[in-house]
Amino acid sequence: MKETIVIVGAGPAGVRAAETLVEAGLALIVLDESARAGGQIYRQPPHGAERPAEKLYGSEAGKARAIHTALEQIRPRVDYRPGTLVWNCFQGKLNTLHDNAQGILPFDRLIIATGAFDRVIPFPGWTLPGVFTLGGAQIALKSQGIAIGKRTVLVGAGPLLPLVASQYLEAGAEIAAVLDVTPFKAKIAALQRMMAMPAMVRRGLSYLSKIRRAGVPMMYGVRSLAVAGDRRVEGLAWTDHRGRRHQVACDAVGASFGLKPEMQLADLAGCDFRFDELTRQWLPVVGAGGRSSVPGVYFAGDCSAIGGADVAELTGIRAALSVLEDRGTPKPQQLRQLETELARHARFRAGIEAAYPFPNHLIDGIDDSLMVCRCEGVSAGDLRANFVKSGAPEVNRLKSFTRVGMGRCQGRVCGAVAAEILAAKSGLPLPEVGRLRGQHPIKPIPLVAGKQS
Ligand SMILES: Cc1cc2nc3c(=O)[nH]c(=O)nc-3n(C[C@H](O)[C@H](O)[C@H](O)COP(=O)(O)OP(=O)(O)OC[C@H]3O[C@@H](n4cnc5c(N)ncnc54)[C@H](O)[C@@H]3O)c2cc1C
C-alpha cells in the first residue's frame, strides 16, 4: 500500500521515528524548519561554526552524536527537507514554506514531533532589550557560541535553569545569580519520585554543584521579580523567601518558567485537547501508542507532553511502531518493552513537575500596567477592563475584544497568561475560560512567500 508518511520535526523524537520506519522499508518525508537536525537539545551549530560535541552537549555528547549519525545514515532513503517550516495543517494537507516558496503536501499519515518552547510569564521589565528566555540563552550558546550578556542573571522554574547556568559557566560566561521561583522544599519532597531515574538526579546535582563551586549565588522560592533599567537591562531585583529585597547589576536576564509543547499543528489537524491540572496547561489527548484522536495523526516527543530527550526518542519509536501496526504489521513485543520503559520515565517526570510547581505567585503579581501581549501591545489592565466590558469569561472572546494573541506569536507566548488573568478576574477555574484556538500561520511567514514550489 503506497502511502505518504510525513514527520514534522527532526529532533530526537522525529529522527528515531524516521529511523524505525526506514528500517521497516517505508518511504517517508521529514520536514524541519531548522537547517540541521538535532532539535533543541542536540541542536547543531551552523556549518562552519562547528565545535566538539563534548563542548556543546557535555555529558550528552554521545546521545547527540547518535541522533546526528542516525539521520545521516538514513538520509539516502528519506526525503529529508531541512529549512522547511510547516505553518498549517488542513484537511489532510500541510502548508509548507521553504526558501520563501510555498508548498502544499497531502499526507496519509502524520507524525507530529515538533518539540516544545519556553513558557513565559511577564514581570516588570520583561520586554526590555537584554531579557531572553532560558531557551534563547541556550540557543545563543549552542548555535553561535555566545552568551546573551557580559554579566547574566538566570531565572526560572524547571530543570533548564541549573542546566543553562552550568553550560554558561562551562563556557566561561559570568553569571551574577541563579534564581529559582519555586521552593527548595518542593525538590526534597519530590526526590523519591525523581529517584526512578537515579542517573538523571545525579546529572541535576552535578549542575548544582558546578554553580556552587563557581561561587554563584543560587536562591529558591524567589518572588516579585523586576528588571531595573530604562532602555535596556541594568539589573534585576527580587524578594527572597524570607521577604528580603535584593538587587544585582547585570546586562542580561534569561528567564522562563517551564516548557510548553508546540501543539499548534495538532490543534489545526483537529486533535482533541484536555486540561492538565499538574502543569496547568492544555495538552493534546494522547491515546494508545502515541495516537491522537484523529486517525492517521500520531505524536512523538515533547509536542504533546514534556518528557525530555530520552522520552522523545522512545515515543518517536513508539509512534513509528503504531504507524506500522495501523498498516497491518504489528510489533507487540517491542511496543510492550517501550511502554514499560516509558512508565519509569513517567514516574521521574511526575517528580520533576512536583519539584518545580507552577509559580502562581508570578501570575498573582501581574499588575494592570504590565504588558502581556507584546505583539499587539495589550496590557493586563486592558484584559481585565475588557472582560468587565464584554462580560464574557472566554479567552477567544477576549481576543476579539483586545487583539490579545493576534500578533506574530499567534498566542503561543501570551495565550496561557491571558487565560490565567481572565480566570482570576472572573473567578472561574482556569479550564473553564478555555484556550486560544490555533490559527495559521502558526509561525510568521514573510509577505514575499507568494510563489508556489
Ligand atoms: C529552547 C529549549 C532548550 C532545551 N534544551 C534542553 C537541554 O539542553 N537538555 C534537555 O534535556 N532538554 C532540553 N530541552 C527539552 C527538549 O525540548 C527535549 O528534551 C527534546 O529536545 C525533545 O525532543 P523532540 O524531538 O520532542 O523536540 P525537539 O528536540 O524540540 O525537536 C523538534 C523539531 O521540530 C522542528 N519544528 C518545530 N515546529 C516546526 C514546524 N512548525 N515546522 C517545521 N519544523 C518544526 C524544530 O525545528 C525542531 O528541530 C529544551 C527545550 C527547549 C524548548
Side-chain angles (χ1 to χ4, degrees):
M1 176 183 22
K2 177 83 179 123
E3 282 187 334
T4 303
I5 303 172
V6 179
I7 299 176
V8 183
V15 168
R16 289 299 181 210
E19 183 183 51
T20 308
L21 292 173
V22 165
E23 278 167 5
L26 296 184
L28 62 137
I29 300 169
V30 179
L31 309 172
D32 196 304
E33 63 177 319
S34 298
R36 304 189 70 184
Q40 293 293 0
I41 175 165
Y42 307 134
R43 175 180 296 276
Q44 301 187 68
H47 287 291
E50 282 90 352
R51 277 156 285 146
E54 280 67 21
K55 274 247 167 280
L56 278 167
Y57 313 112
S59 62
E60 304 311 283
K63 290 182 189 169
R65 258 194 233 104
I67 288 293
H68 301 155
T69 309
L71 186 75
E72 282 314 309
Q73 280 173 348
I74 59 170
R75 208 166 165 159
R77 289 177 287 159
V78 169
D79 181 355
Y80 168 49
R81 304 181 192 173
T84 305
L85 170 71
V86 179
W87 58 266
N88 189 19
C89 177
F90 180 65
Q91 292 185 343
K93 298 186 191 74
L94 298 173
N95 287 94
T96 62
L97 181 75
H98 174 74
D99 206 11
N100 280 339
Q102 301 274 8
I104 296 177
L105 180 61
F107 62 84
D108 298 295
R109 297 189 192 274
L110 173 67
I111 298 181
I112 304 178
T114 44
F117 63 103
D118 294 90
R119 199 167 181 179
V120 172
I121 302 177
F123 51 92
W126 76 286
T127 53
L128 274 177
V131 181
F132 294 73
T133 60
L134 285 175
Q138 193 195 48
I139 288 170
L141 190 65
K142 275 189 193 165
S143 180
Q144 305 292 332
I146 54 171
I148 55 172
K150 290 202 173 95
R151 185 174 153 82
T152 303
V153 176
L154 299 173
V155 190
L160 205 52
L161 175 68
L163 170 61
V164 175
S166 84
Q167 288 172 329
Y168 263 54
L169 291 170
E170 181 70 35
E174 186 183 353
I175 303 290
V178 178
L179 307 175
D180 186 332
V181 297
T182 65
F184 185 70
K185 62 175 193 283
K187 279 107 192 126
I188 302 295
L191 192 59
Q192 203 183 351
R193 270 168 289 174
M194 290 194 286
M195 284 309 284
M197 310 285 295
M200 296 284 220
V201 175
R202 278 199 297 277
R203 219 168 95 199
L205 290 175
S206 76
Y207 302 147
L208 295 177
S209 100
K210 179 168 223 117
I211 297 166
R212 203 153 296 133
R213 281 200 313 274
V216 175
M218 168 130 203
M219 288 192 189
Y220 296 91
V222 161
R223 318 166 71 85
S224 306
L225 305 166
V227 178
D230 286 333
R231 305 181 66 177
R232 62 157 300 123
V233 174
E234 289 168 16
L236 186 84
W238 71 91
T239 302
D240 70 20
H241 71 285
R242 292 205 175 89
R244 291 173 304 204
R245 198 76 183 145
H246 301 256
Q247 180 160 338
V248 292
C250 61
D251 63 353
V253 173
S256 48
F257 307 97
L259 295 176
K260 194 168 181 298
E262 283 275 15
M263 55 206 176
Q264 302 89 329
L265 281 182
D267 206 357
L268 293 167
C271 300
D272 289 343
F273 279 64
R274 67 177 175 91
F275 186 78
D276 182 51
E277 288 290 347
L278 188 60
T279 57
R280 276 181 86 75
Q281 46 189 337
W282 289 87
L283 299 175
V285 174
V286 183
R291 292 173 181 85
S292 78
S293 59
V294 174
V297 178
Y298 309 79
F299 296 119
D302 276 359
C303 68
S304 58
I306 306 300
D310 294 348
V311 170
E313 290 194 41
L314 296 171
T315 52
I317 299 169
R318 183 179 71 175
L321 293 177
S322 296
V323 168
L324 295 177
E325 185 169 275
D326 293 349
R327 287 172 49 90
T329 46
K331 310 262 184 210
Q333 199 189 336
Q334 220 177 324
L335 254 177
R336 262 197 307 277
Q337 278 167 356
L338 272 179
E339 294 294 0
T340 308
E341 182 64 0
L342 282 168
R344 202 159 65 88
H345 281 275
R347 281 198 298 283
F348 170 75
R349 192 70 220 174
I352 287 281
E353 297 297 348
Y356 295 98
F358 184 73
N360 283 307
H361 58 88
L362 291 184
I363 299 285
D364 297 342
I366 296 178
D367 75 19
D368 279 356
S369 63
L370 205 54
M371 190 66 71
V372 173
C373 168
R374 65 196 301 181
C375 307
E376 294 291 328
V378 184
S379 69
D382 295 330
L383 294 173
R384 291 177 182 129
N386 275 281
F387 158 65
V388 173
K389 224 190 288 171
S390 70
E394 201 281 320
V395 72
N396 291 285
R397 192 131 162 77
L398 193 61
K399 175 179 175 179
S400 47
F401 274 84
T402 59
R403 296 188 61 81
V404 66
M406 254 187 226
R408 286 168 63 89
C409 91
Q410 293 284 353
R412 288 164 73 229
V413 176
C414 60
V417 173
E420 292 274 6
I421 290 171
L422 181 56
K425 183 75 187 169
S426 62
L428 288 172
L430 184 59
E432 286 186 31
V433 304
R435 63 185 176 88
L436 285 183
R437 284 186 290 272
Q439 300 288 349
H440 61 83
I442 60 173
K443 290 189 187 171
I445 53 174
L447 284 173
V448 64
K451 56 183 172 149
Q452 200 100 348
S453 64

